[in-house]
Amino acid sequence: LNPEELAESVGQIAAHIHERSLVYDAYGCNMLSYRSLFVEGWLKASLSREDFIYRARILGINLEMDNYTVVCFSAPPDAMPGKENMSRLFDYLLSFFVGHFICHFCFESPSNLTCILCSVDGSRLSEEFIARMEHARMILKMPFFTAVGSTVDNYRDVAVSYQNASECLFLQYTPIRGILFDEMILPLSLHGIIEQDYSELNEAAY
């Protein structure tokens, strides 16, 4: 890993930790919780259209983007990362997303972070994104799985992308560290790895 890149990444993370602190001081935890609940409702299509539009307007969320992609970040159960490690991952992601993506996020559990990403230049997430997450694992020294749902062109279809990403989460129990739903055609070698790994799991873990 290039020392200059490492120093830059650490500096960006530190800057965003400071920004989060300022936001919290200004608005308190209530606004952050309100946003998180809105994003969860968006992901699961559990809000009425009127309520959704009203909340999006209050939060200043742009619903006119032409691309929305849901990404689920999950730490393996046996790693037991705790809140601190997932918070570090969150700060890293914020520093990485700046200038590239508009991001809306929520923690579905202490070990599961879900984001709705809108690419600023309209490009779709690719294997380059998965590779960048490997870079994050090296810097943070923590394991996590990345599932990228399909890209949809309308805010109303975000739930579809979320469902796609969620369907890939079973792969977190295999050696695979990240997957793009749109490229789910796996080579036979990986099918063998998955089958072998699942043979080692008990019914509860499966």
Side-chain angles (χ1 to χ4, degrees):
L1 184 64
N2 188 312
E4 293 183 359
E5 291 182 354
L6 177 59
E8 181 182 356
S9 296
V10 171
Q12 290 176 337
I13 292 173
H16 280 282
I17 291 176
H18 178 64
E19 287 180 9
R20 285 179 62 195
S21 177
L22 293 177
V23 170
Y24 184 87
D25 290 342
Y27 301 105
C29 62
N30 290 336
M31 179 57 75
L32 297 178
S33 297
Y34 184 82
R35 177 179 288 273
S36 180
L37 289 172
F38 168 78
V39 172
E40 185 173 0
W42 189 0
L43 291 167
K44 300 176 180 179
S46 61
L47 301 173
S48 68
R49 174 174 171 76
E50 293 75 15
D51 191 22
F52 177 86
I53 297 298
Y54 174 74
R55 296 191 188 195
R57 186 178 296 115
I58 287 178
L59 294 168
I61 293 177
N62 181 4
L63 299 178
E64 301 299 325
M65 301 295 291
D66 62 1
N67 69 93
Y68 300 85
T69 308
V70 173
V71 184
C72 296
F73 300 93
S74 177
D78 58 347
M80 299 179 63
K83 294 182 179 179
E84 291 185 5
N85 279 347
M86 289 304 287
S87 180
R88 286 167 51 229
L89 171 61
F90 176 59
D91 288 322
Y92 174 89
L93 293 173
L94 286 181
S95 67
F96 168 50
F97 293 157
V98 169
H100 302 284
F101 302 99
I102 296 173
C103 175
H104 312 290
F105 56 84
C106 71
F107 278 94
E108 296 192 78
S109 75
S111 60
N112 290 275
L113 171 65
T114 302
C115 301
I116 303 171
L117 299 182
C118 303
S119 173
V120 174
D121 62 7
S123 61
R124 296 187 173 226
L125 273 63
S126 64
E127 289 293 343
E128 182 179 352
F129 181 85
I130 298 297
R132 182 60 187 251
M133 294 304 99
E134 186 62 32
H135 176 76
R137 294 183 190 93
M138 294 173 61
I139 291 178
L140 301 174
K141 297 181 179 179
M142 63 170 288
F144 63 88
F145 178 77
T146 307
V148 181
S150 56
T151 298
V152 297
D153 60 8
N154 191 296
Y155 73 87
R156 299 182 186 87
D157 297 326
V158 162
V160 175
S161 182
Y162 173 66
Q163 181 178 356
N164 295 158
S166 299
E167 289 174 358
C168 298
L169 288 177
F170 77 95
L171 292 171
Q172 68 183 297
Y173 301 105
T174 76
I176 299 172
R177 296 185 177 184
I179 192 75
L180 296 164
F181 179 83
D182 290 339
E183 299 181 11
M184 271 290 284
I185 301 178
L186 302 177
L188 292 178
S189 59
L190 290 185
H191 281 290
I193 290 173
I194 293 172
E195 182 178 355
Q196 179 180 355
D197 275 18
Y198 270 126
S199 67
E200 302 295 327
L201 294 177
N202 58 39
E203 183 176 354
Y206 182 86

